[in-house]
Amino acid sequence: MKIFLDTANREMIERWIPTGIIDGVTTNPSLLSKEGKDTRQVLLDICEMVPGDVSIEVVKKDPVDVYKQSKEIAALADNVVVKIPFAFEYLPVIAKLTQEGVRINVTLIFSLLQALMVAKLGVTYISPFIGRLDDIDVNGLDLIHKLVHMVEQYSFASQILAASIRHVMHLHESVLAGVDVATVPPKLLDQLMSHPLTLDGIRKFDDDWKKLGKQELLGAK
Ligand code: G3P
């Protein structure tokens, strides 16, 4: 299972990459809007920093422009995945791009049947938004389970990328559902790192070790 960082913040990426647990990054226009005006440089830096896939979303609206912009985004770096929101008018664009070998992440997926359509087109990632479904009183995790089942049932090549993860149980359940990828905000990853029992355990080991009055574990050289 892959873990992506859901951020466009270079400091956050720099902080997490050395941990070795980050397999990629997802960005979107909202995340990029927080990082200043030189978006191209921000994206080039991210692509260089990240060893795995970096999703970059189109901002054009007209299908012809979406196609052109997708090609430009794809040419930025080898690890780029072009993110395109689900829409009926973008299906032919997505079909053409996948046939041309451009890797696509279809975003803003809110139903099983939307996911089915783009799985049929051979996209690399399908991104259901858990938190935003919960926001409207629909169980986002139910959709995750259904999508994992659908992809397995029909042996689609697309990977399910759980997005809009807002809290620990969203991530926990996504893992149990068997998603291929979860994209996680850095703040949430930080929260997951400390566990009171681990901290207590370390304290107890330290106290017991001090009781022995020894300094070196393996004796002095
Ligand atoms: O990966 C998509 C994610 O950034 C959306 O999250 O919390 O804005 O619904 P949220």
Side-chain angles (χ1 to χ4, degrees), residues 6 26 28 31 83 129 132 163-164 166 183:
D6 199 16
T26 50
N28 63 37
L31 294 170
K83 215 174 184 188
F129 274 35
R132 292 196 196 181
S164 186
R166 305 264 181 82
T183 189

PDB file of all heavy atoms in Angstrom, residues 6 26 28 31 83 129 132 163-164 166 183, ligand 1:
ATOM      1  N   ASP A   6      -0.707  14.685   0.929  1.00  0.00           N
ATOM      2  CA  ASP A   6      -1.692  15.544   0.275  1.00  0.00           C
ATOM      3  C   ASP A   6      -1.334  16.999   0.592  1.00  0.00           C
ATOM      4  O   ASP A   6      -1.879  17.604   1.515  1.00  0.00           O
ATOM      5  CB  ASP A   6      -3.087  15.192   0.836  1.00  0.00           C
ATOM      6  CG  ASP A   6      -4.208  15.667  -0.074  1.00  0.00           C
ATOM      7  OD1 ASP A   6      -3.944  15.975  -1.249  1.00  0.00           O
ATOM      8  OD2 ASP A   6      -5.366  15.720   0.398  1.00  0.00           O
ATOM      9  N   THR A  26       0.086  14.317  -3.745  1.00  0.00           N
ATOM     10  CA  THR A  26      -1.044  14.810  -4.541  1.00  0.00           C
ATOM     11  C   THR A  26      -1.191  16.307  -4.272  1.00  0.00           C
ATOM     12  O   THR A  26      -1.159  16.737  -3.120  1.00  0.00           O
ATOM     13  CB  THR A  26      -2.371  14.100  -4.186  1.00  0.00           C
ATOM     14  OG1 THR A  26      -2.553  14.113  -2.767  1.00  0.00           O
ATOM     15  CG2 THR A  26      -2.399  12.675  -4.681  1.00  0.00           C
ATOM     16  N   ASN A  28      -3.500  19.947  -5.558  1.00  0.00           N
ATOM     17  CA  ASN A  28      -4.711  20.400  -6.253  1.00  0.00           C
ATOM     18  C   ASN A  28      -4.684  21.930  -6.257  1.00  0.00           C
ATOM     19  O   ASN A  28      -3.832  22.533  -5.584  1.00  0.00           O
ATOM     20  CB  ASN A  28      -5.989  19.815  -5.613  1.00  0.00           C
ATOM     21  CG  ASN A  28      -6.201  20.250  -4.179  1.00  0.00           C
ATOM     22  OD1 ASN A  28      -5.908  21.389  -3.820  1.00  0.00           O
ATOM     23  ND2 ASN A  28      -6.713  19.357  -3.349  1.00  0.00           N
ATOM     24  N   LEU A  31      -4.630  23.573  -2.759  1.00  0.00           N
ATOM     25  CA  LEU A  31      -3.355  23.423  -2.038  1.00  0.00           C
ATOM     26  C   LEU A  31      -2.291  24.327  -2.654  1.00  0.00           C
ATOM     27  O   LEU A  31      -1.513  24.964  -1.937  1.00  0.00           O
ATOM     28  CB  LEU A  31      -2.895  21.959  -2.074  1.00  0.00           C
ATOM     29  CG  LEU A  31      -3.781  20.965  -1.311  1.00  0.00           C
ATOM     30  CD1 LEU A  31      -3.368  19.521  -1.610  1.00  0.00           C
ATOM     31  CD2 LEU A  31      -3.713  21.220   0.191  1.00  0.00           C
ATOM     32  N   LYS A  83      -3.923  15.131 -13.113  1.00  0.00           N
ATOM     33  CA  LYS A  83      -5.185  14.984 -12.383  1.00  0.00           C
ATOM     34  C   LYS A  83      -6.288  15.720 -13.150  1.00  0.00           C
ATOM     35  O   LYS A  83      -6.148  16.913 -13.470  1.00  0.00           O
ATOM     36  CB  LYS A  83      -5.002  15.631 -11.006  1.00  0.00           C
ATOM     37  CG  LYS A  83      -5.722  14.972  -9.862  1.00  0.00           C
ATOM     38  CD  LYS A  83      -5.293  15.686  -8.576  1.00  0.00           C
ATOM     39  CE  LYS A  83      -5.863  15.081  -7.350  1.00  0.00           C
ATOM     40  NZ  LYS A  83      -5.579  15.904  -6.168  1.00  0.00           N
ATOM     41  N   PHE A 129     -13.438  10.897  -2.756  1.00  0.00           N
ATOM     42  CA  PHE A 129     -13.244  11.875  -1.676  1.00  0.00           C
ATOM     43  C   PHE A 129     -14.081  11.481  -0.460  1.00  0.00           C
ATOM     44  O   PHE A 129     -15.290  11.751  -0.406  1.00  0.00           O
ATOM     45  CB  PHE A 129     -13.663  13.267  -2.162  1.00  0.00           C
ATOM     46  CG  PHE A 129     -12.577  14.028  -2.885  1.00  0.00           C
ATOM     47  CD1 PHE A 129     -11.665  13.380  -3.698  1.00  0.00           C
ATOM     48  CD2 PHE A 129     -12.478  15.411  -2.752  1.00  0.00           C
ATOM     49  CE1 PHE A 129     -10.660  14.077  -4.364  1.00  0.00           C
ATOM     50  CE2 PHE A 129     -11.488  16.120  -3.404  1.00  0.00           C
ATOM     51  CZ  PHE A 129     -10.572  15.451  -4.222  1.00  0.00           C
ATOM     52  N   ARG A 132     -15.501  14.611   1.958  1.00  0.00           N
ATOM     53  CA  ARG A 132     -16.547  15.463   1.368  1.00  0.00           C
ATOM     54  C   ARG A 132     -17.888  14.729   1.264  1.00  0.00           C
ATOM     55  O   ARG A 132     -18.937  15.375   1.218  1.00  0.00           O
ATOM     56  CB  ARG A 132     -16.094  16.000   0.009  1.00  0.00           C
ATOM     57  CG  ARG A 132     -14.944  16.973   0.188  1.00  0.00           C
ATOM     58  CD  ARG A 132     -14.687  17.829  -1.001  1.00  0.00           C
ATOM     59  NE  ARG A 132     -13.360  18.418  -0.862  1.00  0.00           N
ATOM     60  CZ  ARG A 132     -12.815  19.250  -1.725  1.00  0.00           C
ATOM     61  NH1 ARG A 132     -13.489  19.589  -2.816  1.00  0.00           N
ATOM     62  NH2 ARG A 132     -11.613  19.741  -1.523  1.00  0.00           N
ATOM     63  N   ALA A 163      -8.893   9.738  -1.017  1.00  0.00           N
ATOM     64  CA  ALA A 163      -8.563  11.157  -0.838  1.00  0.00           C
ATOM     65  C   ALA A 163      -9.577  11.811   0.095  1.00  0.00           C
ATOM     66  O   ALA A 163     -10.542  11.172   0.504  1.00  0.00           O
ATOM     67  CB  ALA A 163      -8.544  11.856  -2.190  1.00  0.00           C
ATOM     68  N   SER A 164      -9.306  13.072   0.405  1.00  0.00           N
ATOM     69  CA  SER A 164     -10.137  13.813   1.364  1.00  0.00           C
ATOM     70  C   SER A 164     -10.210  13.043   2.690  1.00  0.00           C
ATOM     71  O   SER A 164     -11.266  12.874   3.282  1.00  0.00           O
ATOM     72  CB  SER A 164     -11.537  14.073   0.768  1.00  0.00           C
ATOM     73  OG  SER A 164     -12.323  14.901   1.588  1.00  0.00           O
ATOM     74  N   ARG A 166      -9.656  12.976   6.425  1.00  0.00           N
ATOM     75  CA  ARG A 166      -9.660  14.072   7.403  1.00  0.00           C
ATOM     76  C   ARG A 166      -9.234  13.643   8.800  1.00  0.00           C
ATOM     77  O   ARG A 166      -8.836  14.469   9.601  1.00  0.00           O
ATOM     78  CB  ARG A 166     -11.077  14.641   7.517  1.00  0.00           C
ATOM     79  CG  ARG A 166     -11.674  15.086   6.197  1.00  0.00           C
ATOM     80  CD  ARG A 166     -11.491  16.561   5.982  1.00  0.00           C
ATOM     81  NE  ARG A 166     -12.095  16.984   4.728  1.00  0.00           N
ATOM     82  CZ  ARG A 166     -13.389  17.245   4.574  1.00  0.00           C
ATOM     83  NH1 ARG A 166     -14.213  17.111   5.592  1.00  0.00           N
ATOM     84  NH2 ARG A 166     -13.846  17.644   3.408  1.00  0.00           N
ATOM     85  N   THR A 183      -3.967   9.218   0.288  1.00  0.00           N
ATOM     86  CA  THR A 183      -3.251  10.491   0.321  1.00  0.00           C
ATOM     87  C   THR A 183      -3.637  11.218   1.601  1.00  0.00           C
ATOM     88  O   THR A 183      -4.829  11.405   1.890  1.00  0.00           O
ATOM     89  CB  THR A 183      -3.454  11.329  -0.963  1.00  0.00           C
ATOM     90  OG1 THR A 183      -2.556  12.438  -0.905  1.00  0.00           O
ATOM     91  CG2 THR A 183      -4.879  11.822  -1.156  1.00  0.00           C
TER      92      THR A 183
HETATM   93  O1  G3P B   1      -6.831  14.938  -2.118  1.00  0.00           O
HETATM   94  C1  G3P B   1      -7.976  15.732  -2.109  1.00  0.00           C
HETATM   95  C2  G3P B   1      -8.062  16.478  -0.840  1.00  0.00           C
HETATM   96  O2  G3P B   1      -7.064  17.432  -0.792  1.00  0.00           O
HETATM   97  C3  G3P B   1      -9.363  17.089  -0.567  1.00  0.00           C
HETATM   98  O3  G3P B   1      -9.457  17.145   0.793  1.00  0.00           O
HETATM   99  O4  G3P B   1     -10.268  17.926   2.945  1.00  0.00           O
HETATM  100  O5  G3P B   1     -10.358  19.428   0.928  1.00  0.00           O
HETATM  101  O6  G3P B   1     -11.906  17.488   1.138  1.00  0.00           O
HETATM  102  P1  G3P B   1     -10.572  18.048   1.482  1.00  0.00           P
END
